[in-house]
Amino acid sequence: MNKFLSFHGIITKIDDFWVSANPEDLGCYKIFTVEDGRGNIVNFVVEPTTYFVDNVVMSAGDIVTGFYDASAAVPFIFPPQYRAIVMALDMQFRNVTVEFFDSQLVNSDSTLKLNLAPYTQIAIRNGQPFTRIPSNRNLIVIYGASTKSLPAQTTPYKIIVLC
């Protein structure tokens, strides 16, 4: 079970990121500089395995949320540099979360419960259907409105299982 954290802000710069001397790696890794409007800056290392919600191509000026593994080692530099697990472009009436959901489909801090519907798309990262109940797993959840109860409840549009 991973603990995911997020950082929300505006992409101010996108550059190639040098990971090795192997010429085949050139252009495959990017670094997204994201600023939150309060002076906080984070660099996200975007790898070929980073999941982009809805396969959106992002550019400087986009408002995004980047999700990263809070338990992963990070270099002690400024601005902080995290390996992006998931990148989501902000869209009106759409929420994205990356979290562990238990056997009752409640997230790890008991603030969100998922109610599955026949129209809820459940897939793995490569787009192939996931044919089991997605409980006790790390999930990318894309949803709209939720209740004001505790935990809030929602019926997601789409769930991506992080196998």
Side-chain angles (χ1 to χ4, degrees):
M1 174 173 82
N2 296 32
K3 173 66 176 162
F4 297 97
L5 293 178
S6 64
F7 187 82
H8 176 81
I10 298 171
I11 297 174
T12 58
K13 185 168 60 167
I14 298 175
D15 289 314
D16 283 337
F17 186 67
W18 183 269
V19 294
S20 74
N22 184 349
E24 291 178 8
D25 287 339
L26 294 174
C28 292
Y29 293 80
K30 303 285 183 191
I31 193 151
F32 285 30
T33 301
V34 180
E35 187 173 339
D36 71 357
R38 294 185 299 260
N40 300 310
I41 300 170
V42 162
N43 284 332
F44 282 110
V45 176
V46 175
E47 303 175 347
T49 57
T50 300
Y51 185 84
F52 281 77
V53 175
D54 297 330
N55 294 314
V56 173
V57 176
M58 296 180 180
S59 58
D62 287 341
I63 301 172
V64 300
T65 303
F67 295 88
Y68 59 96
D69 183 349
S71 62
V74 295
F76 193 64
I77 59 173
F78 182 82
Q81 183 173 291
Y82 302 114
R83 182 177 157 246
I85 305 296
V86 176
M87 295 295 294
L89 182 68
D90 275 21
M91 299 178 99
Q92 197 171 27
F93 308 116
R94 183 188 79 176
N95 300 296
V96 177
T97 190
V98 180
E99 297 189 58
F100 178 84
F101 285 83
D102 68 14
S103 61
Q104 302 300 310
L105 294 175
V106 176
N107 68 352
S108 55
D109 61 359
S110 299
T111 57
L112 185 64
K113 179 176 180 4
L114 307 180
N115 298 315
L116 302 182
Y119 62 81
T120 303
Q121 298 174 31
I122 305 173
I124 57 177
R125 283 175 170 245
N126 65 11
Q128 298 305 303
F130 184 81
T131 56
R132 300 187 168 276
I133 301 297
S135 59
N136 293 314
R137 296 179 181 270
N138 292 315
L139 307 175
I140 303 168
V141 180
I142 303 160
Y143 63 101
S146 63
T147 64
K148 293 185 185 281
S149 61
L150 198 60
Q153 296 189 38
T154 190
T155 304
Y157 309 131
K158 188 173 188 177
I159 296 173
I160 296 91
V161 178
L162 297 173
C163 293

